Each structure stands twice: as structure tokens, then as C-alpha cells.
Amino acid sequence: MAKTQMHESGPSGAIYGLGLIGAAIYFISHATGFWMGVLGFLKALVWPAFLVYEAMKSLGM
């Protein structure tokens, strides 16, 4: 039997989880209605994409 390797990503998962919670609180607290709150939650799911996009835009890439 071949040995399997386990790759742990606990710290990065925890950072993403805290970022998700923080982004959800931020976006939902600034929502003006129910559907804007839903949109805010969806934005919170993909906040790293916004972060990388803005970083690359500011670096002129």
C-alpha cells in the first residue's frame, strides 16, 4: 500500500474565514435593502478576487 500525504492548510483557511465574516458584516451593514444585503453576502464570498484586482490595478499591471 502506498502512503498518502496530508497537506494541511489550517492557517490560510482561518484567515479566509475571518476575512469572509468581516467582509460579510461590512457589506451587509452598508446594504440599503434585503437584496442589497444578499448581494453584499455574495460579494463577501469573492472578496479576495476584488482585493487582487485592485492591487494589480494600483500596481499598473
Side-chain angles (χ1 to χ4, degrees), residues 2-59:
K3 291 186 178 185
T4 59
Q5 293 182 337
M6 285 184 66
H7 298 283
E8 297 180 20
S9 62
S12 62
I15 291 172
Y16 181 79
L18 289 173
L20 172 69
I21 292 168
I25 291 170
Y26 174 80
F27 286 127
I28 292 172
S29 69
H30 286 87
T32 57
F34 174 76
W35 290 111
M36 291 304 288
V38 171
L39 180 63
F41 180 74
L42 294 175
K43 283 183 180 180
L45 292 176
V46 294
W47 68 270
F50 291 121
L51 180 69
V52 170
Y53 174 77
E54 291 297 328
M56 294 180 99
K57 187 169 77 170
S58 69
L59 292 173

